[in-house]
Amino acid sequence: MPNAVEPTLIEPLFQALQKERFVIVCTIDHETGAPNASAISWVYAPAHDKVYFAVDQRSRIVANVQANPAMSIVLIANESTYSISGKAHVKVEKLENVPLKLAVIQVDIEEVRDVMFYGAKIALEPKYEKTYDAQAAAKLDQQVMSALKQA
């Protein structure tokens, strides 16, 4: 039986993307044409049909999106694994009120696909810890997520 395909985020995924969380961003490399995957955590869904995420302005992701807007985000949530695919563009070149030079990428969702293999569910979602100054990390995370919500 094929997995469900939706044109926008289902409610549990929308709720999962209201806070910082681990996702994998997949783009097409602008130099090689090969797939490129990056782990990020500054991600936010302002609506059911779009996702924003913040990355360093010099990130390969920015150059990849500018050359080819097709991309997907892999999200583990709702006891499953999802591929959120769409077209991306640089929404904001320099995020204000953040000490780092971050760009905001907007993904206009075209398809949300449950890609979990048959007969399984996610029992425990990935957890991560910032390995630098915990206070500084928490402050930066709060600044970036607040700015993303204003973008």
Side-chain angles (χ1 to χ4, degrees), residues 6 15 106 150:
E6 301 289 341
Q15 292 303 321
Q106 176 176 320
Q150 301 298 316

Side-chain angles (χ1 to χ4, degrees), residues 3-102:
N3 289 335
V5 178
E6 301 289 341
T8 62
L9 295 171
I10 61 173
E11 191 60 27
L13 302 185
F14 177 74
Q15 292 303 321
L17 291 170
Q18 295 306 295
K19 60 182 181 181
E20 179 186 356
R21 72 180 298 125
F22 174 86
V23 298
I24 304 289
V25 171
C26 304
T27 58
I28 305 299
D29 190 88
H30 69 280
E31 292 179 329
T32 67
N36 183 274
S38 301
I40 65 166
S41 64
W42 292 326
V43 60
Y44 169 69
H48 287 75
D49 63 347
K50 67 182 81 168
V51 174
Y52 297 164
F53 61 89
V55 293
D56 188 291
Q57 289 175 325
R58 300 163 297 177
S59 170
R60 193 162 195 88
I61 296 168
V62 173
N64 291 348
V65 163
Q66 289 171 330
N68 185 338
M71 67 160 305
S72 58
I73 298 170
V74 177
L75 169 65
I76 297 172
N78 194 36
E79 297 185 330
S80 197
T81 305
Y82 296 85
S83 174
I84 302 166
S85 300
K87 298 287 188 267
H89 67 275
V90 177
K91 177 176 174 49
V92 177
E93 290 190 20
K94 166 88 172 66
L95 197 55
E96 297 297 321
N97 303 318
V98 175
L100 302 177
K101 293 180 180 177
L102 301 177

Side-chain angles (χ1 to χ4, degrees), residues 12 26 37 39 45 48 62 67 69 77 90 96 104 107-109 113 120 129-130 140:
C26 304
H48 287 75
V62 173
V90 177
E96 297 297 321
V104 175
V107 182
D108 295 315
I109 298 171
R113 184 179 295 269
E129 294 178 4
K130 304 286 174 93
L140 180 61

